[in-house]
Amino acid sequence: PMVPVSTDRMLNGFQHVSAFSENPSGLVASLFGAAIPPEYYKTSLFIKGQPGQSLYIYNIGYQDADETAPVSTAMRVGFVVYETDTAGAFINPKEYIFAINTAPNTAGSLYNTAQGSAGHVLDSTRSDGSTVEFTPYTPDHYCNYDPASDSVSKKDGAVALGAVGRTPVKIDVYVWLEGCDPDCTSSIAGKSLKLLALGFAGL
């Protein structure tokens, strides 16, 4: 089970709630500390392709364990994509954070930090609960993939994660419950995903 954490930049790290305080809307997060795995999930992938291809995500598939209290609406999937230099070192990381389920907020949703508002996440450069406005990528930024013909095409707004070739490209994958999301409340406590699947394509 993951602990709700928050960040606007994965390479700066994640923060979790250390204490809550009372305000007119109820308990809200007020003190924060550094978070470490397994409070969030991290793994690394190494992907190769044809020279000159751009790497896209065509699907982040998921299945909630409880569809009446979906964890997916508060979940984020992030990619840190590195270039590979001539010596084989991984350099120039670029970050991409996706919201995988953009359905309307669930019943009882509440923005749960003492500062900020919906659409904000914790400022990763501070530890005082400061928040910053942040807009993640969404399924609108996937490319098109037709499994019947095994064909890939770019759609308007699709975001390229980087270039791939015969030398493997390193991708750090992060999965977390965004603690500043209005849906990340007690309504999803103890809930989980049955499935999370990533689909990459070269174009």
Side-chain angles (χ1 to χ4, degrees):
M2 291 183 290
V3 172
V5 298
S6 185
T7 192
D8 62 333
R9 183 167 167 76
M10 294 170 283
L11 291 176
N12 286 347
F14 294 79
Q15 297 178 68
H16 61 200
V17 179
S18 300
F20 292 87
S21 62
E22 186 80 29
N23 79 356
S25 63
L27 288 176
V28 294
S30 56
L31 293 176
F32 304 87
I36 59 172
E39 295 180 352
Y40 58 89
Y41 176 79
K42 179 187 177 185
T43 193
S44 295
L45 305 177
F46 298 85
I47 297 180
K48 294 193 291 186
Q50 297 299 319
Q53 281 187 327
S54 292
L55 181 67
Y56 288 83
I57 188 90
Y58 70 81
N59 185 43
I60 303 177
Y62 59 89
Q63 182 180 359
D64 286 290
D66 183 350
E67 294 184 0
T68 63
V71 170
S72 58
T73 56
M75 184 162 281
R76 302 290 182 267
V77 176
F79 305 103
V80 179
V81 184
Y82 298 82
E83 296 177 8
T84 306
D85 69 10
T86 55
F90 299 112
I91 59 172
N92 299 332
K94 293 182 174 61
E95 299 194 9
Y96 307 86
I97 294 175
F98 286 82
I100 62 174
N101 183 354
T102 57
N105 295 131
T106 57
S109 61
L110 172 71
Y111 190 78
N112 53 6
T113 67
Q115 302 182 45
S117 58
H120 284 218
V121 300
L122 291 180
D123 184 342
S124 62
T125 66
R126 306 180 63 149
S127 58
D128 60 358
S130 296
T131 63
V132 292
E133 188 172 357
F134 185 82
T135 303
Y137 294 107
T138 70
D140 290 337
H141 298 94
Y142 299 165
C143 72
N144 293 317
Y145 172 62
D146 180 0
S149 61
D150 197 31
S151 61
V152 181
S153 61
K154 182 182 176 181
K155 67 181 180 184
D156 291 342
V159 59
L161 303 184
V164 290
R166 293 192 178 97
T167 301
V169 170
K170 180 183 179 185
I171 303 176
D172 291 335
V173 180
Y174 295 81
V175 181
W176 71 97
L177 288 174
E178 177 48 62
C180 288
D181 187 277
D183 281 341
C184 197
T185 61
S186 58
S187 64
I188 64 170
K191 306 298 182 181
S192 64
L193 286 183
K194 288 183 177 180
L195 168 72
L196 181 72
L198 307 177
F200 295 96
L203 178 63

